[in-house]
Amino acid sequence: EPEVTQTPSHQVTQMGQEVILRCVPISNHLYFYWYRQILGQKVEFLVSFYNNEISEKSEIFDDQFSVERPDGSNFTLKIRSTKLEDSAMYFCASSEGAQWGTAVATEAFFGQGTRLTVV
Amino acid sequence: GNSVTQMEGPVTLSEEAFLTINCTYTATGYPSLFWYVQYPGEGLQLLLKATKADDKGSNKGFEATYRKETTSFHLEKGSVQVSDSAVYFCALKTGNFNKFYFGSGTKLNVKP
């Protein structure tokens, strides 16, 4: 069964360092997402990506964050200068798409997450 | 705005007990509703969904009915098993880009 794969499963980084979280979405999917969950809090939307550009981003997704699909298979989240408060579980997801003008549910498939710890 | 509220956990039940996890929502527009489950060490998996009022989503013995009048989507199972131990997330989605709004998750512990 196709699945979304995230690497690494756990990343420890020093405050101020750059970190790149990697995701391999399901191959025929067109929409890609990053979410995060700070320990004990809600899973929060960060960004969605379609057709090689950001389609929507939350207010959390500031200039420290960027996303890229560098080679047609990987989807990365870069945090330029990590802060302690960036420590969280980061989930990548992908979906086939959505019908324009509707809210028809299309299933999003999530990866197992990368736990980022900033020290 | 859009938000989801679900009951605080953890919920601890004995095997074969009845499960209810409450979920209510607020939404602009007409959302689709979802339950996701996260087993230990794994990612979020879609458990069930409903796209319009009065729809019932069901899977693996779990059920939830989209109640527009009470803005609720409570998860139920008649007889839980130890293997159901996991964190359950209620979520809604509106619009075109699969932007989900999740609840905070409810941890379920089922004891033999």
Side-chain angles (χ1 to χ4, degrees), chain B residues 8-86:
Chain B
E8 294 281 332
V11 173
T12 301
L13 296 172
S14 297
E15 207 165 20
E16 299 184 3
F18 185 84
L19 168 71
T20 301
I21 300 177
N22 290 335
C23 171
T24 57
Y25 68 90
T26 59
T28 55
Y30 198 15
S32 295
L33 302 174
F34 302 80
W35 277 99
Y36 279 84
V37 59
Q38 185 180 29
Y39 298 103
E42 299 185 15
L44 297 168
Q45 300 175 26
L46 178 65
L47 180 60
L48 53 84
K49 64 185 181 186
T51 59
K52 60 184 187 295
D54 300 324
D55 266 4
K56 178 185 281 188
S58 62
N59 185 27
K60 299 182 182 179
F62 291 89
E63 292 183 342
T65 301
Y66 189 143
R67 301 285 187 205
K68 189 178 179 185
E69 64 276 13
T70 54
T71 61
S72 65
F73 193 55
H74 305 319
L75 182 68
E76 296 182 335
K77 186 174 185 182
S79 176
V80 293
Q81 306 300 312
V82 172
S83 56
D84 294 327
S85 297

Side-chain angles (χ1 to χ4, degrees), chain A residues 31 33 35 37 41-43 45 48 50 55-56 91 95 97-108 110-112, chain B residues 3-5 30-32 34 36 38 41-44 46 49 51 89 93-100 102-104:
Chain A
Y31 290 82
Y33 314 85
Y35 286 79
Q37 184 184 26
Q41 298 185 25
K42 293 186 177 187
V43 178
F45 170 80
S48 61
Y50 170 69
S55 48
E56 189 169 358
F91 292 104
S95 68
Q99 294 180 8
W100 182 259
T102 76
V104 174
T106 60
E107 183 174 351
F110 285 80
Q112 81 280 17
Chain B
S3 69
V4 173
T5 303
Y30 198 15
S32 295
F34 302 80
Y36 279 84
Q38 185 180 29
E42 299 185 15
L44 297 168
L46 178 65
K49 64 185 181 186
T51 59
F89 293 90
K93 181 181 79 73
T94 63
N96 306 313
F97 293 111
N98 284 311
K99 178 180 177 182
F100 288 87
F102 284 90
S104 53

Side-chain angles (χ1 to χ4, degrees), chain A residues 10-14 83-84 86-88 115-119:
Chain A
H10 190 192
Q11 172 99 39
V12 181
T13 189
Q14 290 203 328
K83 308 183 192 69
L84 295 176
D86 293 327
S87 295
R115 180 166 297 285
L116 176 66
T117 302
V118 182
V119 298

